Amino acid sequence: MTAPRVVIIGAGIVGANLADELTARGWTDVTVLDRGPLPRTGGSTSHAPGLVFQTNASKAMTDFAQYTVEKMLALDCFLQVGGMEVATTPARWEDLRRKHGWATSWGVAGQLIDAAECVERWPLLDGSRIFGALHVPTDGLARAAKAVGVLAERAGSRGAKFIGSTRVTDVLQDGGRVTGVRTDQGDFPADVVVSCAGFWGREIGAMVGMDVPLLPLAHQYAKTGQVAELVGRNGTDGFSAGKSASNRDEVEASLPILRHQDQDLYFREHVDRLGIGSYAHRPMPVDESTLDPSVTETAMPSMLPFTEDDFAPSWEQSRLLLPALRQTKVEEGFNGIFSFTPDGQSLVGESADVRGFWLAEAIWVTHSAGIAKAVAELLVDGHSEVDTHDIDVHRFEEVQLAPSYVSETAQQNFVEVYDILHPLQPKLSPRDLRVTPFHARQRELGAVFLEAAGWERPHWFEANAPLLKQLPHEWLPPARDAWSAQFHSPIAAAEAWHTRNGVALYDMTPLKRVEISGPGSLAFLQSLTTNQLDKSVGSVTYTLMLDSAGGVRSDVTVARLEPEVFQVGINGNIDVDHFVKHAPPGVRVRDTTGGTCCIGVWGPLARDLVQPLSQEDFSHQGLKYFRARKARIAGVPVVAMRLSYVGELGWEIYTSADNGLRLWDALWAAGQPLGVIAAGRAAFNSLRLEKGYRLWGTDMTTEHDPYEAGLAFAVRPAKGDFLGREAIEGRSEETASRRLRCLTIDDGRTVVLGKEPVFVDGVASGYVTSAAYGYTIGQPIAYAWLPASADIGSSVEIEYFGRRVAATVAAEPLVDPGMERIRR
């Protein structure tokens, strides 16, 4: 089979890496175009300071950074001087403890060092101002501009062509497929076009009608004059950072790269001067259409004039941390343009409307080689070794693509880039973008809302505070530490107790769903999922979608409402894109989330609440577990599904958005004699972990197969062919080398939040995925990826802010393993 013709738009560090990765995999008909001259094109790569700090809250982003380091070292384009992040406040020191946990979880060697060792490693520091630092020896400086040249030469030797001073003016297409690009130098035919255009990415995406949620922002970078203490350390006279004598003249730095996040600053050496980057200034959005595209020795479009007034406070803070700077001054600086997104992550993926058009945007040097490798794997193999859902361009909802939303949230990400943010920390603005039909009633009940995908989601209700006085003693949760207590309330315990012992209403509207209909719908769904869906109308089936390597790309719930009409509960817009791209002619995929709503009615008294409101039979025999039916409740037409993500009797009840409030009010009024309450996501998360229910994207991703994830029950190879079936052939729970395990925390009080490292026999061997306090069992719960040898009853330790917490591998589910409560 002939490899496709590829055009890459952008010859910076991302485009050059992608050309290298593709040609290494045999796709040699690759043309890389750039509007600027080669090799210094004038994009962000041309001025990037090159700092590579690998540790990130995201496992994927850390993996991408680790690969970038590995590759840059192999290219001789990396100074592995190490990295230090200093703490000048107690809060930052605690944050570095948490970050050290991430490094340990993701396999990055690092250590927390005290102030004295900080000064030993960075003699210019004022040690009296710092508590300590996180030191990662494998961090360092990427020579991005040099790397582009090396990569272009290597890719060129395999057939790739790099062409500069060529501006793309249009992306050509026919019948919903890319056919090439049009430039000011003529047309270039292509089967695949990848935009690696950096802050020009919005302009390129618009050529195929694609909204690219990216905002160019200016970021200040300054260079000092000569620093006396640095004279002789580098270059031909100083420490060579591992270089031989013959190339010591190339060495520009020997001190670790340094971050002073409490003041939004970072530092690196330039031989005997220091470079200082600042995020402490006001956000400076840039309209790329106004930039001068010309590139000269002294100017380029990605470098704007330095605004000295904005840098003045940062210069003062720099001299406080590094007193040696008091003897010098800022000699030069510029405001460099970088790309920011609504959630601070990169943008990777194929257009939903134009097949063959791909994005690889908002990618910094730190992750450039790793993400380029992932994109090459997606193009050539159909799957990436590292899960990419964190950076998938389709992760955003339509409301999040509005220019006003992108602008506000991207600027806020710039402001918060070095802030200490809690995992549950909500946006302050924009808010109330998407509210369910029950929102007004929830506000009346004192709902405390957090936000996700634009939706306002109640986490608990202040109206339930009096229920705390009714809680049995064994249900009272212990006091939490200050970190885990943020965005939490003990009211969640009362809501969980009432769900287990009475009846509660949960707003499930934000959980995304699509309707798949038309001739061939069953066969289509069968081809993408692992479980048997060829069941009678009214059946509901939990199933998985795999990628071609057998990794879990999503878990979904499929309800067969008519012979060729299915309602599918999914995990987000990425799943919509997956369905749309695979749907054959005649099969319709329709996102119904915004036009419908859902109430989860759960608890032992759920039937007592619902049955009197309907003439349909809601008995156990009348509507069995994992069955669905159309019905009327208080005159409202609904679809009721006998499901329970909290492990109690009840239903997910769906209706159209216009009928939602009437349904809520009817259930609320009828439930008053039963003590009905509204309950939020905090109780929900605790209850679902007690039942061992997985959360895709958190507990498992494409990096895990169904057997490792404990989901073998959802796989039916005998049903026939489906995507990923061949890849998992021969695998089983017995062959899995790692497993997703349930842990209970021995001290009964420490609540971890996720991503903490887990130690088996004293060795870091896995990491926490989901965690919560289990109110029913009176113990904290954590799910974690561990070696398969860590069997039930094994003792392990979780590192929480530098403290080892004992835990035990437990059999799951922790509550109602016989499923009696859910099948009443």
Side-chain angles (χ1 to χ4, degrees):
M1 181 179 176
T2 304
R5 300 164 297 177
V6 181
V7 167
I8 297 171
I9 304 172
I13 191 65
V14 179
N17 262 303
L18 180 56
D20 179 64
E21 295 288 341
L22 286 173
T23 55
R25 289 165 173 76
W27 283 23
T28 56
D29 191 348
V30 175
T31 303
V32 186
L33 305 175
D34 202 290
R35 68 172 66 203
L38 301 180
R40 196 164 178 254
T41 65
S44 298
T45 300
S46 302
H47 65 73
L51 283 73
V52 177
F53 286 92
Q54 298 166 84
T55 306
N56 193 289
S58 163
K59 177 183 180 298
M61 298 307 280
T62 302
D63 287 345
F64 294 142
Q66 287 178 290
Y67 181 77
T68 298
V69 168
E70 175 188 322
K71 185 171 182 177
M72 292 292 185
L73 277 170
L75 295 174
D76 196 22
C77 294
F78 193 76
L79 284 176
Q80 200 159 51
V81 293
M84 278 174 51
E85 301 180 50
V86 296
T88 60
T89 63
R92 182 67 63 182
W93 183 234
E94 287 303 300
D95 188 58
L96 291 183
R97 291 183 188 275
R98 184 168 63 109
K99 188 170 286 187
H100 178 256
W102 297 341
T104 306
S105 291
W106 314 145
V108 176
Q111 59 181 331
L112 293 166
I113 59 177
D114 61 19
E117 187 171 348
C118 289
V119 174
E120 183 180 335
R121 293 184 177 277
W122 241 92
L124 279 66
L125 282 168
D126 179 353
S128 68
R129 291 185 172 275
I130 59 179
F131 288 80
L134 172 62
H135 177 240
V136 176
T138 55
D139 288 343
L141 289 165
R143 290 170 161 172
K146 177 186 175 184
V148 167
V150 175
L151 291 165
E153 183 177 353
R154 187 161 76 178
S157 71
R158 304 184 188 121
K161 300 178 182 67
F162 283 70
I163 303 173
S165 302
T166 302
R167 180 176 179 177
V168 173
T169 58
D170 198 8
V171 176
L172 305 176
Q173 53 185 293
D174 181 52
R177 283 207 65 90
V178 155
T179 60
V181 298
R182 178 154 293 157
T183 78
D184 56 4
Q185 304 297 317
D187 292 353
F188 291 81
D191 305 297
V192 175
V193 173
V194 187
S195 176
C196 303
F199 58 82
W200 306 103
R202 293 192 298 190
E203 176 184 306
I204 302 299
M207 294 176 185
V208 296
M210 190 172 183
D211 292 320
V212 180
L214 175 157
L215 181 72
L217 285 162
H219 159 60
Q220 291 198 297
Y221 192 75
K223 288 184 181 178
T224 70
Q226 189 179 71
V227 180
E229 286 81 350
L230 296 180
V231 175
R233 284 189 61 90
N234 301 303
T236 56
D237 300 320
F239 177 62
S240 63
K243 296 286 185 179
S244 63
S246 63
N247 58 12
R248 283 183 184 178
D249 60 322
E250 297 179 1
V251 178
E252 60 195 76
S254 58
L255 294 173
I257 53 176
L258 180 68
R259 281 207 287 215
H260 179 22
Q261 292 173 299
D262 287 319
Q263 295 297 330
D264 297 313
L265 295 168
Y266 63 80
F267 307 86
R268 60 152 293 179
E269 288 174 282
H270 292 280
V271 188
D272 57 3
R273 302 195 294 166
L274 279 185
I276 307 171
S278 171
Y279 292 100
H281 55 82
R282 60 192 167 90
M284 303 177 190
V286 177
D287 180 354
E288 66 272 27
S289 68
T290 65
L291 298 174
D292 181 352
S294 59
V295 178
T296 68
E297 286 297 317
T298 58
M300 61 180 68
S302 61
M303 296 175 68
L304 302 179
F306 191 59
T307 50
E308 294 182 9
D309 289 346
D310 289 304
F311 192 72
S314 293
W315 178 236
E316 290 304 311
Q317 291 298 330
S318 297
R319 295 197 295 177
L320 288 172
L321 184 71
L322 306 171
L325 297 184
R326 295 169 187 165
Q327 309 306 315
T328 187
K329 62 181 180 179
V330 174
E331 286 197 344
E332 59 181 287
F334 62 92
N335 291 356
I337 303 176
F338 291 84
S339 300
F340 279 76
T341 64
D343 61 2
Q345 298 283 22
S346 302
L347 303 171
V348 168
E350 186 182 23
S351 164
D353 302 312
V354 181
R355 300 299 300 274
F357 179 81
W358 286 69
L359 289 180
E361 302 290 15
I363 300 167
W364 292 6
V365 171
T366 301
H367 310 106
S368 57
I371 293 181
K373 174 176 178 282
V375 174
E377 289 171 340
L378 288 167
L379 287 168
V380 177
D381 305 321
H383 64 88
S384 167
E385 181 182 352
V386 176
D387 177 73
T388 58
H389 87 272
D390 279 350
I391 59 174
D392 192 305
V393 68
H394 299 292
R395 66 188 181 273
F396 296 107
E397 295 290 321
E398 187 70 27
V399 69
Q400 296 174 299
L401 299 177
S404 58
Y405 181 92
V406 174
S407 178
E408 180 177 350
T409 55
Q411 290 184 61
Q412 188 61 28
N413 272 309
F414 180 92
V415 170
E416 296 176 346
V417 68
Y418 283 168
D419 286 2
I420 300 169
L421 300 176
H422 192 275
L424 293 177
Q425 191 132 0
K427 291 182 177 70
L428 296 178
S429 176
R431 292 295 296 268
D432 291 338
L433 295 178
R434 307 175 83 185
V435 298
T436 73
F438 327 124
H439 186 71
R441 298 293 184 262
Q442 292 165 346
R443 289 175 64 90
E444 291 167 3
L445 294 170
V448 175
F449 293 98
L450 301 186
E451 178 269 347
W455 285 104
E456 297 296 323
R457 307 177 75 171
H459 272 242
W460 67 85
F461 291 84
E462 291 295 332
N464 294 327
L467 295 175
L468 284 168
K469 297 178 182 179
Q470 303 174 22
L471 275 184
H473 182 268
E474 63 271 17
W475 276 77
L476 290 170
R480 294 193 175 198
D481 68 276
W483 183 252
S484 68
Q486 291 187 59
F487 309 106
H488 167 77
S489 169
I491 293 172
E495 294 177 1
W497 175 77
H498 210 81
T499 305
R500 290 275 188 242
N501 294 279
V503 60
L505 306 183
Y506 287 81
D507 184 355
M508 306 300 290
T509 303
L511 299 185
K512 201 168 183 71
R513 49 202 166 273
V514 294
E515 180 186 271
I516 295 179
S517 60
S521 296
L522 173 61
F524 167 60
L525 285 168
Q526 288 276 68
S527 71
L528 292 184
T529 61
T530 59
N531 213 336
Q532 177 59 264
L533 303 182
D534 191 4
K535 302 175 182 177
S536 61
V537 171
S539 64
V540 182
T541 307
Y542 174 82
T543 185
L544 309 176
M545 294 195 295
L546 307 182
D547 66 12
S548 57
V552 181
R553 65 162 295 127
S554 191
D555 64 340
V556 301
T557 303
V558 182
R560 192 173 193 180
L561 303 182
E562 298 176 21
E564 293 288 359
V565 177
F566 298 83
Q567 179 174 308
V568 186
I570 59 176
N571 284 297
N573 229 33
I574 297 173
D575 287 346
V576 177
D577 178 65
H578 185 61
F579 281 131
V580 168
K581 284 177 177 172
H582 285 84
V587 171
R588 183 186 184 195
V589 179
R590 185 168 65 96
D591 183 352
T592 60
T593 312
T596 57
C597 58
C598 178
I599 303 173
V601 184
W602 290 313
L605 300 181
R607 187 172 287 120
D608 297 322
L609 171 55
V610 172
Q611 185 62 80
L613 298 177
S614 180
Q615 295 182 359
E616 278 78 23
D617 186 359
F618 277 85
S619 69
H620 178 61
Q621 291 301 320
L623 185 57
K624 293 183 178 180
Y625 186 53
F626 263 79
R627 297 288 296 179
R629 75 183 313 163
K630 293 181 179 179
R632 291 186 184 274
I633 295 176
V636 176
V638 303
V639 172
M641 298 186 192
R642 181 88 183 274
L643 307 176
S644 177
Y645 207 47
V646 300
E648 291 294 331
L649 169 68
W651 305 269
E652 291 179 0
I653 302 176
Y654 296 86
T655 190
S656 57
D658 60 322
N659 281 310
L661 186 57
R662 186 156 66 100
L663 177 63
W664 177 280
D665 286 346
L667 291 168
W668 187 258
Q672 291 311 298
L674 303 171
V676 70
I677 67 165
R681 297 291 299 179
F684 180 89
N685 193 51
S686 171
L687 296 168
R688 71 104 179 164
L689 285 178
E690 290 180 333
K691 286 298 295 180
Y693 294 146
R694 276 63 167 147
L695 178 62
W696 185 85
T698 300
D699 296 318
M700 71 278 190
T701 68
T702 56
E703 295 179 19
H704 312 106
D705 73 31
Y707 306 105
E708 296 171 328
L711 298 172
F713 68 88
V715 181
R716 295 287 184 270
K719 78 167 189 174
D721 196 27
F722 54 82
L723 181 60
R725 181 177 181 270
E726 185 176 345
I728 62 172
E729 189 172 348
R731 301 188 204 179
S732 67
E733 292 176 320
E734 288 69 35
T735 63
S737 61
R738 58 181 175 174
R739 298 290 300 275
L740 183 63
R741 293 294 197 186
C742 176
L743 308 179
T744 53
I745 295 176
D746 294 355
D747 66 15
R749 66 178 184 276
T750 302
V751 180
V752 301
L753 296 180
K755 304 184 180 181
E756 296 87 358
V758 183
F759 292 76
V760 180
D761 297 327
V763 177
S765 303
Y767 59 90
V768 173
T769 58
S770 295
Y773 189 83
Y775 301 107
T776 313
I777 65 168
Q779 270 187 300
I781 305 166
Y783 270 76
W785 282 102
L786 294 176
S789 58
D791 212 340
I792 294 169
S794 297
S795 295
V796 300
E797 291 179 305
I798 302 171
E799 184 179 295
Y800 184 63
F801 286 91
R803 176 171 62 94
R804 297 284 180 91
V805 178
T808 302
V809 179
E812 57 173 333
L814 296 168
V815 171
D816 191 27
M819 303 289 281
E820 289 90 357
R821 299 176 67 89
I822 210 167
R823 289 177 168 151
R824 303 182 194 202

